[in-house]
Amino acid sequence: MTEYDLSDFLSEDQIESITMGEQLEQDDRSRRELVEDCYDSEGRRIFNDMRSLYTTLQMVNKNYQMLVQKRDEFVNEDAIEWMMRSGEDTQEFFREYLRRLHNYAASVHTLTHHTYTFFNRYESKAPDLHSKYSAELDKRGLGVKVNLLKQIRHYTQKNWEPPLAAEISPAMEDGAGDTLELYLKKEEMLEWNGWDPEPRDFLKELGDEIYITQLAEEYQNEVNDFYNWLRSLIMSSFYDELIETITAQLILERERSTEST
């Protein structure tokens, strides 16, 4: 998994008043102060927590890609070949798909948990961070999709495996394509009494066959855009602390480069 660096969160074109070069030239901190600000400062701690949060987002993206990859194994295969598979072989495929669905839903839950942890940790310094997050979440209508995926995790942990089914229809005419789809049966999902009102209402509005990978794709596009927005909000909330840390890091890197030549 890729390691984030400070430049992933704050780059030269985000310095507001003076260029990065001028910032470095005007910096009069001692080497000891630079080392402390780079490695043991509030800015460094904020950055490390941001890196942890966005590494969790990477995990969500990775689990989503693995879910799609398994779905694609199904839909891209010849329908006749699928129909000729043994029942055990098909069930093994279903079990693996559901395992990946659970991992994906669990990582969405973890991302939300890590986000709230970040807000709680820095509430005294940025008390409106959480409220702005919630308002933007509601504005985008993203909250219900987040809750649906989180509750699918609860569903698989506390109830039973989601009712996964498949449609397999060979092409009946020349030039036509096979039909292969994986979906969850809505009515069986709704038999569980553990749904919160919003996710239950959202499920009711869907068709009888819930194409969960398609829902995941819609959510994933939206959540990546949302966390780009959140990253800018966090950076603006802790601008001074992050500037202090990134300039210290750049000065030390420049000194090491000079010493090695």
Side-chain angles (χ1 to χ4, degrees), residues 199-214:
R200 175 177 284 276
D201 290 343
F202 184 78
L203 279 175
K204 285 181 177 179
E205 292 175 2
L206 300 176
D208 292 338
E209 300 169 353
I210 302 170
Y211 300 100
I212 193 65
T213 315
Q214 180 179 333

Side-chain angles (χ1 to χ4, degrees), residues 222-237:
E222 293 174 12
V223 79
N224 281 313
D225 184 66
F226 179 80
Y227 272 84
N228 282 335
W229 170 86
L230 180 62
R231 180 168 55 187
S232 297
L233 176 63
I234 293 173
M235 289 190 301
S236 65
S237 299

Side-chain angles (χ1 to χ4, degrees), residues 29-56:
R29 283 173 288 181
S30 68
R31 185 175 180 82
R32 179 176 180 179
E33 289 172 330
L34 289 169
V35 171
E36 288 179 353
D37 289 342
C38 182
Y39 298 110
D40 189 24
S41 65
E42 187 70 3
R44 172 55 68 173
R45 286 186 284 276
I46 292 168
F47 163 69
N48 285 342
D49 286 335
M50 286 180 68
R51 178 167 59 182
S52 176
L53 175 60
Y54 281 82
T55 298
T56 304

